[in-house]
Structures are given as structure tokens and as C-alpha cells.
Amino acid sequence: MANKRTLGFRPTVLRKKFRAGMTVRNYRDKEVVFSQGDTADAVFYIQSGTVKLTAVSTRRKKAIIAFLQRGSFFGEGCLGGQSLRICTARSIGQSNITRLRKESTVRTLKRDPQFATLFVAYLLSRIIRIEEDLVDQFFNFSERRLARVLLLFGQ
């Protein structure tokens, strides 16, 4: 559930890469960054803190998708053509989060191959982790899943 693959960009590096296409904001505990169904128009980067991604079905069943920590991107679905958010992102504790406009992110990915390579590597590692979590959910007992999550947080 926890993602340990981080890129560790400093705010000055992000400012240099994204210029006016970014904003930084502090979020309080349990404050919503974006909600399921909102327009998907930006990518987010966690400078500090933790973010929980959740989704709710039409039958009101709630699922936790991931807990993301410092150095994680989220909301990147907008880069692949997603027009609406498929989940809700909520700060867990205090968080400092950078919002990168979609247009700025696309421009930076095209202009900076080194950043694009790091970004793709990050996304692939997150996809692998979420697939592992899904398999774990389907095939392991709750005690074993708990042990895996505790091990992931302890890394």
C-alpha cells in the first residue's frame, strides 16, 4: 500500500522545470486535494506528508487504492486522457503538495527526456506495487496482508 519509490525533487528543481505551471499548497489532516468526479486537469507531487487515494462505487462501497508518501506523484490520469477523477485524494496529516498543470507537465515531459524517463519509471513502479496489492487482496488472508503492509511501511 505504501509507495517507497520516490523521485525526491526539491521545490527549486520543480520550479525550474515547471515555471509558472505550478502552485504549492499546504493541506490539513483529512483535507481533500481533489474528489472523485472532479475535472482531471493537473498532476500532483507530494513534497511532504501522506495522501490517501480512495474510490466509491455507485453502490456506495468504498475502496482504498493507495497511501502515497513524500516524493510521489498522483492524479497523472489526466495525461492519458482521463477527463474526470476516478478517485478522491485526501491528505493524511499535514501535507505540502505541488500542483502541476496538465499542459505544463506535458510540455516538460516532451522537453526534458531525463525527467520523462524518471517519471515513467516512477509510474511503472507504482503500477507494479498496486498490482501486487490487488493480488495480495484476492489471494491472502487478512493476517498475511496486514504483515505485508507493515513490512512495506517499515522499509
Side-chain angles (χ1 to χ4, degrees):
M1 287 248 180
N3 181 3
K4 290 296 180 182
R5 170 92 171 141
T6 63
L7 298 179
F9 288 113
R10 291 184 319 250
T12 54
V13 172
L14 284 175
R15 272 196 298 279
K16 197 186 265 188
K17 289 190 181 304
F18 290 93
R19 298 187 188 109
M22 68 172 265
T23 55
V24 180
R25 181 166 169 224
N26 290 312
Y27 289 84
R28 296 180 315 277
D29 184 34
K30 299 180 183 172
E31 189 173 359
V32 172
V33 179
F34 60 73
S35 294
Q36 187 172 336
D38 286 353
T39 301
D41 59 356
V43 176
F44 296 84
Y45 180 75
I46 304 170
Q47 291 287 346
S48 66
T50 303
V51 170
K52 178 170 72 170
L53 302 179
T54 59
V56 178
S57 73
T58 53
R59 294 184 180 147
R60 309 304 276 162
K61 192 170 183 179
K62 189 175 183 179
I64 296 173
I65 297 168
F67 287 94
L68 303 174
Q69 297 175 330
R70 183 187 63 78
S72 297
F73 285 94
F74 62 101
E76 67 280 349
C78 67
L79 301 175
Q82 190 178 78
S83 59
L84 299 176
R85 301 286 183 198
I86 62 168
C87 64
T88 296
R90 186 179 306 270
S91 178
I92 302 299
Q94 296 224 335
S95 299
N96 185 290
I97 298 172
T98 301
R99 181 183 187 275
L100 307 167
R101 283 195 340 244
K102 175 184 171 180
E103 300 79 19
S104 254
T105 306
V106 169
R107 189 171 45 252
T108 300
L109 289 168
K110 287 179 181 176
R111 184 178 62 217
D112 188 339
Q114 184 180 10
F115 175 76
T117 300
L118 286 171
F119 188 75
V120 168
Y122 166 79
L123 292 177
L124 289 173
S125 71
R126 194 164 111 207
I127 289 167
I128 290 166
R129 177 63 53 87
I130 290 175
E131 284 178 349
E132 289 171 348
D133 289 344
L134 188 59
V135 168
D136 193 43
Q137 182 71 31
F138 283 133
F139 298 115
N140 289 321
F141 294 107
S142 59
E143 295 84 6
R144 192 167 185 170
R145 290 195 314 263
L146 176 60
R148 181 172 178 270
V149 168
L150 292 172
L151 283 171
L152 288 171
F153 275 117
Q155 287 180 348

